[in-house]
């Protein structure tokens, strides 16, 4: 958990002003509970974590009616462009579909093309998120 939390904190701290690493670790502890939402999936290579993706109930305070969300898709920079992120996203989508969720929502400030290539649809700009069919 500390490794994942440190990755996420370094990558997205600007999206969660006021949240420090300790707070992020505490929040991520909920991902270890039983059930799908919330949970985190970790991709390992040679026994070492190199990426992660999560499914959470909500990822935008402005859209509490949308649930669940694909969140925290991260791959260590030296392992990017090897299909790991795509595999993680497809795995989360498959898990959501198996649990009966027809849609997943996500927010990305800079990776819309990546998600569109995986079948996600961009919602109108006013909505500020994307939806993928699970």
């Amino acid at each position: 958990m500390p490794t994942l939390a440190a990755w996420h904190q370094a990558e997205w701290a600007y999206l969660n002003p006021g949240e420090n690493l300790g707070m992020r670790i505490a929040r991520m502890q909920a991902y270890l509970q039983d059930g799908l939402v919330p949970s985190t999936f970790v991709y390992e290579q040679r026994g070492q974590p190199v990426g992660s993706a999560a499914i959470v109930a909500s990822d935008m305070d402005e859209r509490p009616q949308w649930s669940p969300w694909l969140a925290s898709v991260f791959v260590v920079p030296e392992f990017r462009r090897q299909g790991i992120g795509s595999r993680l996203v497809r795995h989360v989508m498959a898990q959501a579909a198996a649990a009966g969720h027809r849609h997943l929502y996500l927010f990305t400030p800079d990776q819309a093309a990546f998600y569109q290539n995986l079948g996600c649809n961009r919602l109108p700009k006013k909505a500020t998120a994307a939806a993928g069919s699970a």
Side-chain angles (χ1 to χ4, degrees):
M1 186 65 68
T3 298
L4 297 180
W7 291 346
H8 297 182
Q9 184 69 13
E11 190 76 12
W12 299 299
Y14 73 97
L15 294 173
N16 300 292
E19 183 176 74
N20 62 36
L21 180 58
M23 294 163 70
R24 187 175 295 269
I25 290 171
R27 182 168 46 89
M28 290 176 71
Q29 290 297 321
Y31 298 11
L32 301 175
Q33 307 302 314
D34 290 336
L36 179 63
V37 180
S39 57
T40 294
F41 301 91
V42 178
Y43 191 95
E44 291 185 348
Q45 199 161 53
R46 295 184 193 102
Q48 296 298 315
V50 299
S52 65
I55 184 168
V56 298
S58 179
D59 203 28
M60 286 186 81
D61 293 339
E62 299 84 18
R63 304 285 186 244
Q65 72 276 21
W66 294 352
S67 188
W69 289 69
L70 169 65
S72 304
V73 178
F74 179 84
V75 176
V76 175
E78 57 267 28
F79 290 92
R80 292 179 183 166
R81 308 251 183 255
Q82 297 178 27
I84 295 169
S86 297
R87 281 182 233 140
L88 282 162
V89 170
R90 286 187 182 108
H91 181 76
V92 172
M93 292 171 83
Q95 295 296 311
H101 299 290
R102 293 188 55 217
H103 299 285
L104 283 174
Y105 297 93
L106 66 97
F107 169 78
T108 180
D110 58 358
Q111 297 297 319
F114 170 77
Y115 292 104
Q116 286 175 314
N117 286 337
L118 292 170
C120 295
N121 299 309
R122 183 182 284 260
L123 295 176
K125 204 166 188 87
K126 185 178 178 183
T128 70
S133 295

